[in-house]
Amino acid sequence: RVRASVLVSGGCGGRDDDFSHRVRLEIDVDARTYPSNSIFPRLWVRSDLAGTNGDGSLSESFYEAAKASPERKRSPIETVLWHFIHNFLREATGDESGDPQLRFKVGDDVLANIGQWAPGKVVALWDQGYPYRISLADSDMEVHAPFDSDEAVRSLITREVNAKQEEGTKIWTWPEDARVPRHAWLHNVRQWNKARTFASNHPFFRPGFSLDWWEKWLHSDVLSWLRDGRSERPYFIEELSPGIFSLSLFTAEFCSELSAEVKRCETSGEEKGIDMSRPNSMNKGGATMSELGYAPLMDSLQDCVFQHLASALFPVVGSELTRHHSFVVQYSRAEDRRGLDMHTDDSDITFNVCLGREFEGSSLQFCGMLGSPRHRRESLRYHHEVGRCVVHLGMHRHGADAIESGERINLISWNRNKSWRRSSGYLHPLHQIYYEREAGPPDPVCLSWTHDVDWEEHRGERPAGANRSMPWCPPAFARHDYPLVDKGEA
């Protein structure tokens, strides 16, 4: 496994809206086939990047294009990285609202690919949707370059040099379906520019990627265990119920300062008219940490802390953490009158930390694991404490009670393991391939007005505004009262 990062830059010529953003990558190398130019290493994007698959992987069209391309570097790893930067992110060099920045400007001398290389001059940019209109030097013709790539248009060096470069090489262009879609790239740029807008001189925006940096912010028990080599199961972690753990994670100073920083970003966003994205499909109040500029902070927290805790508590699911979606959520009485519906997370392992503020109520209600006989049976009611973290598998059903007074803010990190997500342990319950029959009627507190088909049967009418188009749980064959089939009759 190789981990790397690339710095993506945008903007035009030193304008105020220039940006730079670091994208974290991970490359899986199969030692049995490496090195090979026909079996490329697999690249995964660890950062939030629109245009990739949900697990950070790239589509097969990218690898097919990389194999077909004549461009080769010193090793297959370098080749994959080069194509990711120069081809997958080809359109990824523009400002937020305008067209992508191009390599050439009007008046530049270039070579245009018209079946053979012909010298010409760029006379217009983004003409009729094409990046360049080029006037050919040896005729009165003008042609359009379909792509801003070396396969379509090149800098004019000398005919001799380019002739040598093209000798025996078939003209080939990178396919559009192997690039990041333009709408996805513009979404990324908007998110990165928001992060730049909120940035300050606070150390949270410039975290270190070592345990020493976290010395000031972590609870002393966690810090000691990490420094002692993590040789034993964490003694300071309490197992509240099977698969649900709690520990004191952060110092009061960390919680206070992060809460204040989030509040500052919120106020700044309101003053500047910045629309914040919802952190997920269920929570309305809050924001993603990457949008606020805290992606490096959460990257460091995952690498230095969460990874080690996850592997100690959940050795299989937490064997490695390769990606995360982290966000803050806020609950207040004015906006949270019925709590958070029962659900599972789009996460393999969830870390949920209360940062403050003064509040009453709003406890977490846990039930069972997705696809298990006790999926909808009550198991635990958890009461938040500032600085304390609850850790559980994403497939553990849970919901939040309505807040009674005050305001609560939590930092939540959905951590994902790409290897686990390819396993039957993850896929079978998710796609109902392996889904056990319920042990009995569900506990009313564990019912979901969004997901459960039998809500009305047990609880009456669904709440006003509840989404009625999604109920699916449980599958008919897994209901406790579903008729059993006699194997002798089957």
Side-chain angles (χ1 to χ4, degrees), residues 155-467:
S155 175
L156 179 63
I157 309 171
T158 66
R159 296 192 188 194
E160 291 76 14
V161 171
N162 281 282
K164 289 181 180 179
Q165 290 178 347
E166 289 306 311
E167 184 178 356
T169 301
K170 181 180 179 181
I171 296 174
W172 185 85
T173 57
W174 187 266
E176 286 299 302
D177 64 355
R179 302 176 190 272
V180 62
R182 175 152 171 72
H183 67 86
W185 174 249
L186 291 180
H187 170 81
N188 291 326
V189 173
R190 284 190 289 270
Q191 298 298 91
W192 296 339
N193 275 327
K194 286 179 186 178
R196 188 182 64 98
T197 299
F198 293 126
S200 72
N201 292 323
H202 196 283
F204 288 164
F205 288 94
R206 303 181 307 279
F209 279 78
S210 69
L211 190 59
D212 290 341
W213 189 88
W214 285 96
E215 181 176 10
K216 182 180 179 181
W217 311 116
L218 290 177
H219 189 276
S220 58
D221 287 342
V222 179
L223 191 64
S224 297
W225 179 74
L226 291 170
R227 283 185 167 161
D228 290 344
R230 312 174 301 277
S231 57
E232 298 179 358
R233 184 183 177 89
Y235 61 88
F236 50 87
I237 295 181
E238 181 182 1
E239 187 168 14
L240 306 175
S241 183
I244 304 171
F245 301 90
S246 177
L247 70 148
S248 293
L249 182 61
F250 294 130
T251 61
E253 183 180 6
F254 178 90
C255 297
S256 175
E257 292 202 23
L258 185 56
S259 294
E261 276 294 296
V262 170
K263 184 65 175 177
R264 179 189 65 79
C265 293
E266 181 183 76
T267 302
S268 176
E270 291 175 354
E271 292 173 349
K272 297 177 182 178
I274 298 175
D275 293 327
M276 304 303 296
S277 304
R278 291 176 61 172
N280 55 63
S281 62
M282 300 188 69
N283 293 103
K284 295 181 180 179
T288 64
M289 293 295 278
S290 59
E291 192 172 54
L292 297 178
Y294 298 117
L297 177 74
M298 299 309 299
D299 292 343
S300 175
L301 185 60
Q302 184 185 60
D303 289 353
C304 297
V305 183
F306 288 167
Q307 172 62 84
H308 305 300
L309 292 172
S311 61
L313 298 178
F314 302 101
V316 177
V317 182
S319 59
E320 60 173 353
L321 301 181
T322 53
R323 191 175 171 89
H324 67 82
H325 174 64
S326 301
F327 50 94
V328 287
V329 293
Q330 300 183 65
Y331 297 91
S332 65
R333 181 62 181 165
E335 299 180 1
D336 177 40
R337 295 189 177 275
R338 67 184 184 199
L340 189 65
D341 190 22
M342 280 287 161
H343 63 283
T344 56
D345 295 337
D346 184 13
S347 164
D348 297 328
I349 298 179
T350 296
F351 289 81
N352 185 342
V353 190
C354 181
L355 302 179
R357 307 176 176 108
E358 297 295 328
F359 63 92
E360 292 183 3
S362 196
S363 55
L364 274 181
Q365 176 66 59
F366 284 94
C367 299
M369 290 291 293
L370 177 68
S372 72
R374 299 188 61 82
H375 177 207
R376 299 193 296 168
R377 291 292 186 90
E378 184 177 0
S379 64
L380 172 72
R381 187 178 298 275
Y382 174 81
H383 300 279
H384 290 286
E385 298 177 34
V386 175
R388 198 157 181 88
C389 177
V390 59
V391 189
H392 60 89
L393 295 177
M395 287 188 178
H396 219 131
R397 177 172 274 215
H398 59 286
D401 297 331
I403 193 168
E404 297 174 4
S405 64
E407 183 181 13
R408 173 168 69 87
I409 178 171
N410 277 51
L411 171 64
I412 299 175
S413 182
W414 288 354
N415 293 265
R416 295 158 185 165
N417 176 347
K418 69 176 189 289
S419 298
W420 169 249
R421 292 202 163 202
R422 296 196 296 265
S423 72
S424 59
Y426 174 79
L427 294 173
H428 284 187
L430 188 69
H431 298 293
Q432 301 171 19
I433 298 172
Y434 181 76
Y435 203 108
E436 295 184 87
R437 183 187 180 93
E438 291 189 312
D443 292 331
V445 72
C446 290
L447 285 163
S448 165
W449 64 71
T450 302
H451 304 292
D452 290 353
V453 295
D454 51 356
W455 170 275
E456 288 90 350
E457 178 183 340
H458 299 282
R459 298 286 299 270
E461 187 176 355
R462 296 177 191 263
N467 189 331

